[in-house]
Amino acid sequence: MSSSDVVRSAHDRRQRRLLIVLALGFLAFGAAAAGLFYVLQPETLRIAVGPAGSDDQKVVQAMADAFSEESRTVRLAPITTAGAAESLALLAADKADLAVGRGDLSMPPDAQTLAVLRKNYVVLWSASGRRGNATKSKAGGKIADIAHLAGHKVGIIGKTGANLAVLQAILEGSGVTPDKVATAQFGTDEIEKLAQDPTIDAYLAVGPLDSKITVDAITATSRVRGAPTFLPIDASEAIALKHPRYEAEEIPGSVFSAKPAWPEDKVDTISVNHLILAKKELSEAKAAAFFRQLFAVRDTITQGLAGASHIMKPDTEKETEPSVHRGAAAVINGTERTFLDKYSDYFWFALLVLSGIGSAAEWLRRYLNRDEVDDDTSGRNRILAAVSEVRNAASEQDLLTLQREIDGIIAETLKGYDDGAVEQEDLTAFGLVLDLFNHAVAERRATLQSGAADPSWSSSGPTLASRR
């Protein structure tokens, strides 16, 4: 076998090995693609909201529909509950990933804000006692401020305990003993009953400034009891400091009616937010993905549902209760970490580990194959020894005997190459020695055929095997 045959055979084996590696590479790529497809599947977050048919439930359902159409990362699965308190209970029990609840309700201690669904303003007003839309000069209400509420009865729209609690906080902050003020709560569908109750002297509603319920209540009480007198909460800032879940706000003039102007001028009050909440344990990536997607579809939702226009980003500039989730805060403040930022340390560590494993594997392979490497060196030495014997061969039969032995050495070397014990550079050196042997055989054969063989050598001259 010539050196070209050795190289060609080694090349063929190398090609087969490359084909196998390529096939394994395709398999690895397919597995990685399947894993990536699985990882990039949209994340479905369960969101609890209620009651059924409420504005909150409609907005969340619109969000879920918009997410389903446009989002490749986040989907929403609404869970309808009896109300905000029940939604927060599901969040606390880990039966929901997100929940819609009012900020002043009892909630899990690790609940954090993802977004503000709407801002609710507290509206307090009294009736003048006259029917119709009397002007301020003709109809001065007998209750002109919160201090005058002592000894009177307040009708509260909404049967949630949170509305009663906010009234008590206002009374205490304004120096009025809550026990001196009677209360009665009415459902949002009992506006007319509220307006017709002659025992009620003042009214309280909590909702957005464009709330239809609030406007309907003011209109109904005005029609039955006379023009409204809006009661300012002068201690709004002090109340907000004492109760971090409330905020000091102002009700703009004419916001409820332009003619007549309700109210005639701005009125100090407090507000409480309706929030989209999640537990602190919700991953930063999921929270950030939800936040980005929410504000990406907000305008789309608003086109079909006006209530979605109240969705706002939470305030990260000041301390709030509950605090803003780190995922939402990162997007708002522009400090969100990219994929490489989050996992670059892991990538570098993995590369170091893989490099170390590769080096260790290569050392172990060489250690385990050290005998075969020695055999390869021994094979080259045996061929070099055979070259000397070829030059002294006495007959054609001696040359054939030596060539058969070299064929065996070649077979051993190629097997070592296939097993990885012989490197490409070692095979190149082996080819050079083999070329030398083949040239020596050709020269000696030519000499023997010309009749110039040394007569001192017989056909039974020494062989490579005898030398060993």
Side-chain angles (χ1 to χ4, degrees), residues 105-264:
L105 290 174
S106 176
M107 59 184 63
D110 56 348
Q112 293 184 323
T113 302
L114 286 179
V116 178
L117 190 63
R118 55 187 166 90
K119 184 181 288 291
N120 299 309
Y121 291 76
V122 177
V123 183
L124 267 169
W125 74 96
S126 64
S128 65
R130 296 187 180 188
R131 296 177 182 273
N133 297 327
T135 62
K136 183 177 180 182
S137 60
K138 295 182 180 180
K142 59 182 178 181
I143 299 177
D145 56 43
I146 294 176
H148 294 158
L149 288 176
H152 293 278
K153 187 175 183 179
V154 178
I156 301 173
I157 302 172
K159 293 188 175 182
T160 173
N163 284 356
L164 180 59
V166 75
L167 175 60
Q168 292 176 344
I170 292 170
L171 294 173
E172 290 175 351
S174 302
V176 179
T177 304
D179 292 342
K180 293 183 178 181
V181 179
T183 59
Q185 292 186 266
F186 296 82
T188 55
D189 56 348
E190 297 178 316
I191 299 300
E192 197 61 34
K193 181 180 177 181
L194 168 76
Q196 296 290 342
D197 191 332
T199 66
I200 296 177
D201 305 304
Y203 308 91
L204 179 142
V206 181
L209 291 177
D210 61 353
S211 169
K212 185 177 183 300
I213 295 173
T214 301
V215 173
D216 288 348
I218 296 173
T219 302
T221 58
S222 173
R223 184 179 65 251
V224 176
R225 303 288 299 278
T229 298
F230 292 91
L231 310 181
I233 305 174
D234 297 327
S236 58
E237 294 186 359
I239 294 172
L241 287 173
K242 187 175 181 180
H243 303 278
R245 295 189 179 185
Y246 300 138
E247 297 180 12
E249 298 286 351
E250 289 182 347
I251 300 174
S254 303
V255 71
F256 300 122
S257 173
K259 188 175 182 179
W262 292 344
E264 292 184 352

Side-chain angles (χ1 to χ4, degrees), residues 4 10 64 76 86 112 114-115 132 146 160 165 174 200 236 239 245 266 270 280 310 314 389-390 398 426 436 462:
S4 61
L76 292 180
E86 290 75 14
Q112 293 184 323
L114 286 179
I146 294 176
T160 173
S174 302
I200 296 177
S236 58
I239 294 172
R245 295 189 179 185
K266 62 183 180 180
I270 61 173
K280 184 179 180 179
H310 298 302
E389 294 186 15
V390 165
D398 291 341
D426 297 330
L436 181 63

